[in-house]
Amino acid sequence: MVYMYDGSFDGLLSVVFESYVSKERPVQIVKEQKWHPTFFDTTKQIITDEIKSERVWQSIITRSGTSVSQMLYTAFASELPDIELKIFYYLEKLFADTSGNYSRNLLDEHAFDLFNIARKVRYEAHRFKGFVRFQETSDGLFFSAIDPVFNILSLLAPHFASRYADQKWVIYDTKRDKGIYFDPSGIREIVLTEKQFNQLNGRISHHIRSEDEDLYQKLWKTYYKAINIPERKNTRLMMHFLPRRYWKYLPEKH
């Protein structure tokens, strides 16, 4: 049986709930929008149910604590192929375990795999805390474009909400065409229907730029150039801390 869901984490937990209730083990779990049916497949569409997903979430925490639940959520953000099945198999073992030790057993292939995936996602999210470059618009909004490998917007949000709690800002993931908008009333996910920024370098359009934005950009580039010591240039080390794939929206690289 192929289970289809809406692609959300709550949707995946709803899949886990339905599988448990129906005592049916899916051979595949796929996002509806990415599903390509074949003649031999039998499918089952799972509707996201927040009550059911919350029950699964609380069961995970009860069994293994918040660190494991956060690890699963972070691994899910990787969007890797078959990440849903990896999480499903992990939960299957977690809920079947009566010793309470499964979550600590990194010798298990599913536990080890998810632990490593989550570690890579967390590492990229940590890097982007330093790679986000805001630009100010004429109405006081701060905007930044990013294109991370993993779907890390929800992992970045708490950091910037805490750091810029009195500002309005948007961090927009151009790869997934969605962003997060923050103002002091809270955080919400957005999709920009009209892109008023250059998708090649992330620069917001000139007519919505604040009067001082060009000056700030110039000052930042001057500072970046000033701290560079040509005699101590170590390209290999620089590429380690600032890989080329993250240069796209960094003003100091344009």
Side-chain angles (χ1 to χ4, degrees):
M1 179 71 72
V2 177
Y3 276 37
M4 294 192 299
Y5 76 114
D6 63 1
S8 68
F9 189 67
D10 279 337
L12 177 59
L13 296 186
S14 299
V15 166
V16 173
F17 184 93
E18 292 295 340
S19 171
Y20 179 79
V21 170
S22 62
K23 303 187 186 309
E24 189 176 61
R25 198 173 194 235
V27 295
Q28 204 174 353
I29 303 172
V30 296
K31 298 178 179 65
E32 292 166 2
Q33 58 271 32
K34 292 187 176 180
W35 172 236
H36 301 291
T38 64
F39 183 77
F40 301 101
D41 289 332
T42 303
T43 61
K44 185 174 186 177
Q45 186 168 16
I46 304 299
I47 305 300
T48 297
D49 185 318
E50 291 186 5
I51 295 176
K52 294 175 181 176
S53 69
E54 180 63 18
R55 286 182 61 180
V56 176
W57 181 252
Q58 291 302 326
S59 296
I60 297 169
I61 294 173
T62 301
R63 288 259 180 176
S64 54
T66 54
S67 61
V68 169
S69 61
Q70 288 302 319
M71 179 196 73
L72 296 175
Y73 179 79
T74 306
F76 179 75
S78 69
E79 298 183 331
L80 292 174
D82 286 338
I83 186 65
E84 294 93 345
L85 272 184
K86 291 178 191 295
I87 293 174
F88 180 88
Y89 292 148
Y90 180 91
L91 290 178
E92 199 175 42
K93 291 179 179 177
L94 180 72
F95 292 141
D97 174 48
T98 55
S99 69
N101 294 322
Y102 172 68
S103 61
R104 290 188 286 273
N105 181 16
L106 288 183
L107 295 177
D108 176 83
E109 59 174 322
H110 294 119
F112 182 74
D113 205 10
L114 288 175
F115 176 83
N116 276 319
I117 292 171
R119 183 174 57 82
K120 291 176 183 176
V121 176
R122 274 197 302 271
Y123 186 54
E124 184 176 56
H126 174 71
R127 277 184 151 171
F128 265 91
K129 290 174 184 175
F131 294 160
V132 168
R133 302 283 187 268
F134 285 109
Q135 304 160 69
E136 187 177 13
T137 66
S138 55
D139 60 357
L141 174 75
F142 289 87
F143 175 88
S144 177
I146 62 173
D147 65 338
V149 175
F150 304 122
N151 186 9
I152 58 172
L153 277 176
S154 63
L155 302 178
L156 291 178
H159 170 79
F160 288 99
S162 170
R163 190 166 184 182
Y164 303 112
D166 58 345
Q167 307 282 351
K168 293 185 299 179
W169 49 262
V170 168
I171 299 176
Y172 204 78
D173 183 339
T174 58
K175 186 177 292 181
R176 295 165 182 83
D177 194 20
K178 67 176 184 179
I180 45 175
Y181 168 81
F182 174 87
D183 65 26
S185 67
I187 300 173
R188 55 184 177 271
E189 190 171 307
I190 60 169
V191 174
L192 296 178
T193 54
E194 187 178 349
K195 310 287 188 302
Q196 298 201 50
F197 65 95
N198 185 327
Q199 296 198 54
L200 295 178
N201 59 22
R203 289 283 283 159
I204 55 178
S205 302
H206 188 268
H207 69 281
I208 64 167
R209 225 176 277 167
S210 77
E211 290 183 3
D212 296 328
E213 182 55 37
D214 287 335
L215 175 62
Y216 292 143
Q217 292 279 327
K218 188 176 179 180
L219 286 172
W220 175 248
K221 289 181 181 180
T222 302
Y223 167 75
Y224 184 79
K225 192 177 291 185
I227 62 172
N228 182 36
I229 303 174
E231 293 78 12
R232 295 184 180 179
K233 186 174 181 178
N234 186 335
T235 304
R236 189 174 178 180
L237 186 63
M238 184 195 71
M239 295 295 281
H240 172 72
F241 288 111
L242 187 56
R244 188 179 293 275
R245 65 176 179 273
Y246 298 131
W247 290 11
K248 186 175 181 180
Y249 296 133
L250 298 180
E252 60 266 37
K253 293 298 180 184
H254 296 284

